[in-house]
Amino acid sequence: SAKIGLYKQLGDKLRSQSKSNCATRQECIDLVKSGSYAYLNTEYVAKNFIDEDYKATGKCNLALAHQTEMIPGSLAWALPKRSPYTRLFTKGY
């Protein structure tokens, strides 16, 4: 419901994409692993998301985009392993 700024841009982009809301957690994992999507949630949920996939596949297919601050409820982006976008988050470009 933001009227300006980053949250408006993110909201507009999410509403324009038919696959922005996953019906199941596995659907979200599969979309991120396809290389075309990222997953934004609290750091705790994103880490569980990554751990869940690792336990299911035995491989590390996902990673956090960057290290977050130690603030409860911090947001984290989960990306496919070796995503070209990870560098943008890590370096702060």
Side-chain angles (χ1 to χ4, degrees):
S1 64
K3 304 290 185 222
I4 59 171
L6 176 63
Y7 288 114
K8 181 186 181 330
Q9 291 175 6
L10 287 172
D12 290 347
K13 187 69 170 180
L14 287 171
R15 286 184 288 277
S16 73
Q17 298 292 320
S18 63
K19 293 185 179 181
S20 290
N21 293 311
C22 306
T24 66
R25 182 177 290 229
Q26 187 59 50
E27 183 182 344
C28 287
I29 291 171
D30 292 342
L31 285 171
V32 173
K33 288 182 352 183
S34 78
S36 300
Y37 294 85
Y39 183 76
L40 175 65
N41 210 316
T42 64
E43 182 180 6
Y44 178 77
V45 172
K47 285 181 177 179
N48 281 340
F49 182 92
I50 292 168
D51 186 55
E52 189 175 291
D53 181 64
Y54 178 76
K55 287 177 180 174
T57 65
K59 294 181 359 184
C60 185
N61 299 304
L62 304 163
L64 291 180
H66 73 289
Q67 196 68 12
T68 60
E69 294 85 32
M70 297 304 291
I71 300 170
S74 292
L75 293 177
W77 292 88
L79 300 170
K81 194 78 167 193
R82 291 183 268 308
S83 169
Y85 301 108
T86 304
R87 183 172 168 240
L88 295 174
F89 286 96
T90 304
K91 299 291 182 186
Y93 291 101

